[in-house]
mmCIF file of all heavy atoms in Angstrom:
data_model
loop_
_atom_site.group_PDB
_atom_site.id
_atom_site.type_symbol
_atom_site.label_atom_id
_atom_site.label_comp_id
_atom_site.label_asym_id
_atom_site.label_seq_id
_atom_site.Cartn_x
_atom_site.Cartn_y
_atom_site.Cartn_z
ATOM 1 N N GLU N 430 -27.277 -59.778 -14.806
ATOM 2 C CA GLU N 430 -26.986 -58.903 -15.941
ATOM 3 C C GLU N 430 -27.520 -57.489 -15.701
ATOM 4 O O GLU N 430 -26.862 -56.504 -16.048
ATOM 5 C CB GLU N 430 -27.599 -59.474 -17.228
ATOM 6 C CG GLU N 430 -26.976 -60.780 -17.691
ATOM 7 C CD GLU N 430 -25.511 -60.634 -18.059
ATOM 8 O OE1 GLU N 430 -25.144 -59.598 -18.622
ATOM 9 O OE2 GLU N 430 -24.743 -61.565 -17.764
ATOM 10 N N LEU N 431 -28.688 -57.376 -15.090
ATOM 11 C CA LEU N 431 -29.234 -56.053 -14.788
ATOM 12 C C LEU N 431 -28.391 -55.339 -13.733
ATOM 13 O O LEU N 431 -28.182 -54.115 -13.810
ATOM 14 C CB LEU N 431 -30.689 -56.178 -14.304
ATOM 15 C CG LEU N 431 -31.730 -56.505 -15.381
ATOM 16 C CD1 LEU N 431 -33.092 -56.730 -14.749
ATOM 17 C CD2 LEU N 431 -31.802 -55.389 -16.417
ATOM 18 N N PHE N 432 -27.904 -56.096 -12.760
ATOM 19 C CA PHE N 432 -27.031 -55.509 -11.743
ATOM 20 C C PHE N 432 -25.737 -54.985 -12.373
ATOM 21 O O PHE N 432 -25.291 -53.871 -12.077
ATOM 22 C CB PHE N 432 -26.701 -56.539 -10.667
ATOM 23 C CG PHE N 432 -25.610 -56.083 -9.723
ATOM 24 C CD1 PHE N 432 -25.878 -55.159 -8.734
ATOM 25 C CD2 PHE N 432 -24.319 -56.575 -9.854
ATOM 26 C CE1 PHE N 432 -24.876 -54.720 -7.875
ATOM 27 C CE2 PHE N 432 -23.302 -56.151 -9.001
ATOM 28 C CZ PHE N 432 -23.580 -55.214 -8.012
ATOM 29 N N LEU N 433 -25.138 -55.797 -13.251
ATOM 30 C CA LEU N 433 -23.906 -55.380 -13.927
ATOM 31 C C LEU N 433 -24.153 -54.163 -14.811
ATOM 32 O O LEU N 433 -23.317 -53.250 -14.881
ATOM 33 C CB LEU N 433 -23.357 -56.532 -14.780
ATOM 34 C CG LEU N 433 -22.861 -57.771 -14.010
ATOM 35 C CD1 LEU N 433 -22.453 -58.865 -14.988
ATOM 36 C CD2 LEU N 433 -21.693 -57.413 -13.104
ATOM 37 N N LEU N 434 -25.317 -54.146 -15.469
ATOM 38 C CA LEU N 434 -25.659 -53.005 -16.326
ATOM 39 C C LEU N 434 -25.789 -51.737 -15.489
ATOM 40 O O LEU N 434 -25.287 -50.672 -15.877
ATOM 41 C CB LEU N 434 -26.966 -53.285 -17.071
ATOM 42 C CG LEU N 434 -27.442 -52.209 -18.055
ATOM 43 C CD1 LEU N 434 -26.466 -52.068 -19.210
ATOM 44 C CD2 LEU N 434 -28.836 -52.547 -18.575
ATOM 45 N N TYR N 435 -26.441 -51.841 -14.343
ATOM 46 C CA TYR N 435 -26.611 -50.670 -13.472
ATOM 47 C C TYR N 435 -25.277 -50.226 -12.892
ATOM 48 O O TYR N 435 -24.980 -49.028 -12.848
ATOM 49 C CB TYR N 435 -27.588 -51.021 -12.343
ATOM 50 C CG TYR N 435 -27.702 -49.928 -11.300
ATOM 51 C CD1 TYR N 435 -28.503 -48.812 -11.524
ATOM 52 C CD2 TYR N 435 -27.001 -50.016 -10.093
ATOM 53 C CE1 TYR N 435 -28.599 -47.794 -10.580
ATOM 54 C CE2 TYR N 435 -27.096 -49.006 -9.144
ATOM 55 C CZ TYR N 435 -27.900 -47.906 -9.385
ATOM 56 O OH TYR N 435 -27.980 -46.906 -8.444
ATOM 57 N N ARG N 436 -24.476 -51.213 -12.463
ATOM 58 C CA ARG N 436 -23.217 -50.900 -11.772
ATOM 59 C C ARG N 436 -22.178 -50.281 -12.705
ATOM 60 O O ARG N 436 -21.507 -49.305 -12.342
ATOM 61 C CB ARG N 436 -22.664 -52.187 -11.144
ATOM 62 C CG ARG N 436 -21.274 -52.085 -10.542
ATOM 63 C CD ARG N 436 -21.249 -51.168 -9.327
ATOM 64 N NE ARG N 436 -19.942 -51.122 -8.728
ATOM 65 C CZ ARG N 436 -18.933 -50.369 -9.156
ATOM 66 N NH1 ARG N 436 -19.122 -49.589 -10.206
ATOM 67 N NH2 ARG N 436 -17.761 -50.373 -8.554
ATOM 68 N N TYR N 437 -22.036 -50.845 -13.906
ATOM 69 C CA TYR N 437 -20.927 -50.441 -14.771
ATOM 70 C C TYR N 437 -21.315 -49.533 -15.937
ATOM 71 O O TYR N 437 -20.440 -48.926 -16.557
ATOM 72 C CB TYR N 437 -20.220 -51.683 -15.318
ATOM 73 C CG TYR N 437 -19.537 -52.491 -14.249
ATOM 74 C CD1 TYR N 437 -20.006 -53.749 -13.890
ATOM 75 C CD2 TYR N 437 -18.423 -51.996 -13.583
ATOM 76 C CE1 TYR N 437 -19.380 -54.492 -12.898
ATOM 77 C CE2 TYR N 437 -17.792 -52.728 -12.589
ATOM 78 C CZ TYR N 437 -18.282 -53.974 -12.252
ATOM 79 O OH TYR N 437 -17.658 -54.703 -11.266
ATOM 80 N N ILE N 438 -22.599 -49.440 -16.261
ATOM 81 C CA ILE N 438 -23.018 -48.609 -17.391
ATOM 82 C C ILE N 438 -23.944 -47.473 -16.933
ATOM 83 O O ILE N 438 -23.656 -46.297 -17.165
ATOM 84 C CB ILE N 438 -23.742 -49.450 -18.465
ATOM 85 C CG1 ILE N 438 -22.846 -50.609 -18.939
ATOM 86 C CG2 ILE N 438 -24.142 -48.566 -19.643
ATOM 87 C CD1 ILE N 438 -21.600 -50.172 -19.666
ATOM 88 N N PHE N 439 -25.028 -47.832 -16.274
ATOM 89 C CA PHE N 439 -26.049 -46.845 -15.936
ATOM 90 C C PHE N 439 -25.543 -45.831 -14.913
ATOM 91 O O PHE N 439 -25.770 -44.615 -15.062
ATOM 92 C CB PHE N 439 -27.295 -47.565 -15.409
ATOM 93 C CG PHE N 439 -28.496 -46.666 -15.258
ATOM 94 C CD1 PHE N 439 -29.048 -46.042 -16.357
ATOM 95 C CD2 PHE N 439 -29.057 -46.439 -14.009
ATOM 96 C CE1 PHE N 439 -30.149 -45.206 -16.219
ATOM 97 C CE2 PHE N 439 -30.158 -45.614 -13.866
ATOM 98 C CZ PHE N 439 -30.700 -45.004 -14.972
#
Side-chain angles (χ1 to χ4, degrees):
E430 293 297 323
L431 286 175
F432 170 76
L433 294 175
L434 182 65
Y435 173 80
R436 172 66 178 81
Y437 294 111
I438 304 295
F439 190 62

